[in-house]
Amino acid sequence: MSFKIKCFECGAEVTDGFLDSCPSCGGLLNVEMDLSKLEGKDPRALRNKPLGVWRYAPFLPVDQRKAITLQEGGTPLYDCRALASELDLDRLYVKYEGANPTGSFKDRGMTVGVSRALELGCKVVGCASTGNTSASLAAYAAKAGLGCVVLLPSGKVALGKLAQAMFYGAKVISVDGNFDDALNVVRQLAKEGHLYLLNSINPFRPEGQKSVAFEIVDQLDFQVPDVIVLPVGNAANIWAVYKALTEWNSIGWIDKMPRLIGVQATGSNPITSAFRQGKKDFEPVDHPETVATAIRIGNPASGRKALKAIYDTNGYATDVTDEEILRAQRLLGKKEGVGVEPASAATVAGVLKLRAEGQISKSESVVCICTGNLLKDPDTVIKNANKVLTAKANAEAVKRLIFS
Ligand code: F0G
């Protein structure tokens, strides 16, 4: 486990573990692992540990023996035959990240990020969040015995996520603004030394999030799918998947890269707009709006990394309307018995759209990373589901409702 922290933009090495951007150019930071000892090793040797984030410890930049873990990762990869046939695809898988300890993929990054915070001797951790990051950080901070501060955009956090952040003992602050505003505030607090920042601009977070890609390839017995589709919000997760597979490619554990496809909501689509114009940089969206509140982000902090991941893999970016998201969410539930939150359903909506446009072909094997659990956002489910029928407590009354 030897690594360096370097600037994503200018390549300068950064030695101060508390910085969240490059001191010379302001660029994003990136962890570079020394993987030379792994070259030529058999990846199947890792299988003596259970499927999960820590199976891939040689690829993680923290000391596994002191890790704060809730046994994250090891989530199912569902072979969705009925949905595949609906979408006219030969093979479609859903990586069900809702099965993580706090119900989203954020736990993969948090086990590494909070372990790093302890290594650095921090006492208080913090983040801004559309909900899932705060739920996850609150839980891992509790496990680690650290103080925790989370900033949430007022009125726009799904109920399940809010309940989780409140439940684990974090100081929860609703900020009068959107996620982008809250992130600016918490970055300022981190700069002043009041807390250790655990948003995904902290390069240790994507290191843990790499494990979702490792697991997918491991679960497919080292066959690389043709396409991996992710929802894009603050844009670090698609970078994490890219980084993971680039690392395995570089040591010969896989022999090709999948195309990475990012899906955004139409009302919150800066990366998709940049992609459509072939640009490496993006224009922020001032007032992002979508039912998929997890990805209601106009100024994605890791946007430039996401665009690199998409371009380098000959990938694609698209956006889908709220209506398309909710329809895809219901379709996944009805056809496969899999419940995901709206942001996660954006992947399925994106595949539907790109199949119709011919950007994904029938014979390509596709994996949708469904990032969060259905129960994160019960309000949206109830608002859009069939109404509950009511009856007197006798069989006749119930039969009338069933058979009418
Ligand atoms: N899906 C879900 C369920 C999310 O919660 C998020 C991000 C994403 C996708 C997008 O991932 O930001 O790496 O592109 N949620 C963050 C949060 C912003 O605060 O919970 P990304």
Side-chain angles (χ1 to χ4, degrees), residues 8 34 83 106 129 178 212 277 314 316 341 348 352-353:
F8 169 75
D34 176 6
L83 189 62
K106 302 290 180 180
S129 178
N178 61 27
V212 72
Q277 295 164 50
N314 194 25
Y316 206 80
E341 66 168 284
V348 175
L352 259 165
K353 183 170 173 178

Side-chain angles (χ1 to χ4, degrees), residues 23-354:
S24 19
C25 78
L28 292 163
L29 302 182
N30 191 35
V31 171
E32 282 187 18
M33 300 290 301
D34 176 6
L35 301 172
S36 49
K37 290 206 183 83
L38 293 158
E39 256 169 78
K41 292 246 165 81
D42 178 4
R44 288 174 180 81
L46 296 179
R47 289 182 175 167
N48 62 7
K49 284 200 207 158
L51 185 73
V53 173
W54 294 98
R55 174 181 280 189
Y56 311 100
F59 297 87
L60 303 177
V62 289
D63 183 350
Q64 183 193 358
R65 290 161 305 179
K66 296 188 215 141
I68 300 297
T69 174
L70 293 167
Q71 299 180 27
E72 46 292 312
T75 57
L77 182 70
Y78 294 127
D79 184 354
C80 294
R81 303 275 168 105
L83 189 62
S85 131
E86 188 80 16
L87 272 58
D88 194 29
L89 274 171
D90 291 343
R91 265 281 187 276
L92 174 66
Y93 299 92
V94 162
K95 180 67 170 161
Y96 184 58
E97 290 292 280
N100 273 297
T102 75
S104 86
F105 74 102
K106 302 290 180 180
D107 297 341
R108 297 180 181 275
M110 239 23 117
T111 182
V112 172
V114 170
S115 301
R116 169 75 173 170
L118 282 189
E119 285 182 357
L120 291 172
C122 302
K123 298 280 180 273
V124 181
V125 291
C127 69
S129 178
T130 56
N132 281 323
T133 300
S134 64
S136 183
L137 181 58
Y140 282 82
K143 174 87 179 171
L146 294 173
C148 179
V149 180
V150 307
L151 272 55
L152 304 176
S154 67
K156 294 288 181 176
V157 174
L159 193 65
K161 305 174 190 182
L162 182 63
Q164 287 179 294
M166 293 164 72
F167 174 73
Y168 295 113
K171 192 157 274 187
V172 181
I173 302 173
S174 173
V175 171
D176 180 18
N178 61 27
F179 169 84
D180 305 304
D181 302 320
L183 184 59
N184 285 338
V185 175
V186 81
R187 285 183 87 161
Q188 178 69 28
L189 296 180
K191 206 167 165 188
E192 291 171 9
H194 301 296
L195 50 82
Y196 179 65
L197 187 71
L198 274 170
N199 276 99
S200 56
I201 44 173
N202 180 323
F204 287 73
R205 283 269 318 275
E207 289 303 301
Q209 290 175 203
K210 291 187 305 193
S211 60
V212 72
F214 295 151
E215 284 185 13
I216 290 169
V217 173
D218 203 342
Q219 286 167 304
L220 294 174
D221 206 18
F222 295 91
Q223 297 298 307
V224 180
D226 296 313
V227 178
I228 298 182
V229 189
L230 299 101
V232 172
N234 212 24
N237 205 32
I238 195 166
W239 166 256
V241 166
Y242 168 76
K243 188 168 190 286
L245 298 174
T246 305
E247 287 179 0
W248 276 19
N249 208 15
S250 77
I251 56 167
W253 283 19
I254 54 174
D255 55 12
K256 71 163 200 180
M257 291 291 285
R259 296 202 291 135
L260 296 184
I261 296 184
V263 185
Q264 297 198 290
T266 310
S268 182
N269 65 351
I271 299 303
T272 307
S273 298
F275 176 78
R276 286 190 180 129
Q277 295 164 50
K279 290 190 179 155
K280 281 193 189 148
D281 213 341
F282 62 92
E283 293 285 325
V285 169
D286 280 343
H287 302 290
E289 217 38 87
T290 167
V291 68
T293 51
I295 52 172
R296 182 178 168 265
I297 295 175
N299 188 15
S302 298
R304 286 172 59 82
K305 284 182 171 176
L307 283 163
K308 179 173 168 57
I310 292 167
Y311 290 126
D312 274 14
T313 59
N314 194 25
Y316 206 80
T318 192
D319 53 9
V320 286
T321 64
D322 283 0
E323 206 174 284
E324 289 171 321
I325 289 173
L326 294 175
R327 203 180 318 131
Q329 186 190 30
R330 286 194 296 271
L331 191 65
L332 183 54
K334 203 167 149 204
K335 291 280 170 193
E336 299 289 345
V338 176
V340 304
E341 66 168 284
S344 309
T347 56
V348 175
V351 173
L352 259 165
K353 183 170 173 178
L354 296 180

